[in-house]
């Protein structure tokens, strides 16, 4: 397995039934046997399902449900997008059915940690230019001091389950991952053991926002 270099641009792809559902350009922060840590900032290039882009631009969350319908039928198109508003730090341990994502926003003192999201998703498969996974819709939102949590997008997860996008096997993996994450949070272990370090993290100002690799995404196979 190739180890990515610090500062290298990689592409995270969400892949469903052999097709790219989304792609996000990221910078590598560190790559160890504990976790692959990547980041992006406003202006980072992405490809998203066109219905997601529409939901964002219109402020109509119901359109996101339509995107799941399109996923289930295999009838979706990708549209170019740019990451906006926040800096993102993504912590992904090998083999895990989740990632921990920290979101930073501007404030009077420069920037602050807004919250953490735990995305429940497939374990990563490394590619020539990054890694593949698949977001399973449901998220856990954690406040900056790690004391308050809230489950998010439960309705979207239930819809994905009804459509067969999330299988029974995947659901069982998500349930196990929920238990693992809550235990890590309670014990301040894993990514939560280094909470102060990641809260203090800063984007390297020498790095421009990452761009999607020029060669076709379909060529970035394992």
């Amino acid at each position: 397995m190739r180890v990515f270099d610090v500062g290298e641009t990689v592409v995270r792809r969400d892949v469903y039934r052999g097709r790219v559902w989304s792609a996000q350009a990221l910078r590598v922060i560190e790559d160890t046997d504990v976790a692959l840590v990547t980041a992006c900032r406003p202006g980072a290039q992405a490809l998203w399902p066109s219905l997601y882009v529409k939901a964002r631009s219109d402020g109509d969350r119901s359109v996101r449900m339509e995107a799941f319908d399109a996923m289930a039928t295999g009838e979706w198109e990708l549209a170019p997008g740019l990451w906006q508003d926040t800096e993102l730090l993504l912590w992904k341990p090998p083999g895990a059915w989740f990632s921990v994502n920290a979101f930073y926003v501007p404030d009077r003192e420069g920037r602050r940690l807004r919250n953490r999201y735990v995305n429940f998703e497939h374990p990563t498969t490394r590619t020539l230019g990054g890694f593949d996974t698949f977001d399973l819709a449901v998220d856990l939102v954690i406040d900056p001091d790690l004391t308050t949590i809230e489950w998010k997008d439960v309705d979207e997860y239930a819809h994905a389950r009804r459509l067969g996008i999330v299988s029974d096997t995947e659901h069982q993996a998500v349930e196990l991952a929920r238990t693992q994450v809550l235990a890590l949070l309670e014990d301040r272990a894993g990514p939560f053991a280094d909470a102060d370090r990641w809260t203090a993290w800063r984007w390297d100002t020498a790095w421009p926002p990452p761009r999607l690799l020029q060669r076709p995404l379909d060529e970035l196979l394992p």
Side-chain angles (χ1 to χ4, degrees):
M1 180 183 72
R2 182 170 79 87
V3 176
F4 295 120
D5 295 328
V6 173
E8 182 177 354
T9 295
V10 294
V11 176
R12 171 198 163 121
R13 301 190 307 180
D14 282 81
V15 178
Y16 180 67
R17 295 183 179 174
R19 288 184 57 197
V20 175
W21 171 251
S22 68
Q24 179 70 57
L26 302 162
R27 293 269 186 188
V28 175
I29 305 303
E30 65 179 38
D31 189 6
T32 70
D33 57 356
V34 174
L36 172 61
V37 184
T38 55
C40 73
R41 64 175 302 177
Q45 290 184 331
L47 289 172
W48 294 313
S50 57
L51 285 170
Y52 268 30
V53 175
K54 176 176 172 55
R56 185 182 183 94
S57 63
D58 295 352
D60 184 356
R61 192 170 180 274
S62 67
V63 178
R64 289 169 57 97
M65 290 295 192
E66 297 178 30
F68 285 103
D69 297 335
M71 182 190 294
T73 61
E75 299 176 354
W76 74 81
E77 296 179 352
L78 294 177
L82 294 176
W83 190 263
Q84 300 176 10
D85 303 329
T86 63
E87 291 181 355
L88 164 69
L89 188 70
L90 188 157
W91 188 95
K92 179 70 174 182
W97 281 79
F98 65 88
S99 64
V100 180
N101 303 263
F103 294 90
Y104 303 85
V105 294
D107 71 359
R108 294 178 181 177
E109 298 181 359
R111 44 88 87 181
R112 62 179 174 83
L113 175 64
R114 186 188 69 188
N115 54 21
R116 293 177 177 86
Y117 270 43
V118 179
N119 278 351
F120 293 89
E121 59 192 27
H122 281 195
T124 53
T125 299
R126 297 220 176 184
T127 67
L128 294 177
F131 60 95
D132 288 352
T133 183
F134 180 58
D135 192 330
L136 296 170
V138 69
D139 305 306
L140 178 65
V141 183
I142 307 172
D143 72 353
D145 64 5
L146 305 179
T147 60
T148 304
I149 65 173
E150 178 184 0
W151 293 102
K152 183 176 179 292
D153 298 334
V154 175
D155 55 341
E156 292 184 2
Y157 183 71
H159 190 53
R161 290 273 289 143
R162 286 192 296 269
L163 292 171
I165 293 170
V166 178
S167 68
D168 289 342
T169 300
E170 290 168 323
H171 175 64
Q172 292 169 6
V174 168
E175 291 297 293
L176 178 59
R178 288 188 196 221
T179 301
Q180 293 171 337
V181 167
L182 292 175
L184 289 172
L185 182 59
E186 181 176 358
D187 295 340
R188 298 297 189 265
F192 308 115
D194 293 330
D196 290 342
R197 174 193 174 197
W198 294 124
T199 298
W201 170 79
R202 295 292 187 272
W203 179 271
D204 189 328
T205 56
W207 294 341
R211 301 173 61 85
L212 291 174
L213 303 181
Q214 293 300 310
R215 42 190 177 156
L217 289 172
D218 290 344
E219 294 180 5
L220 303 180
L221 300 175

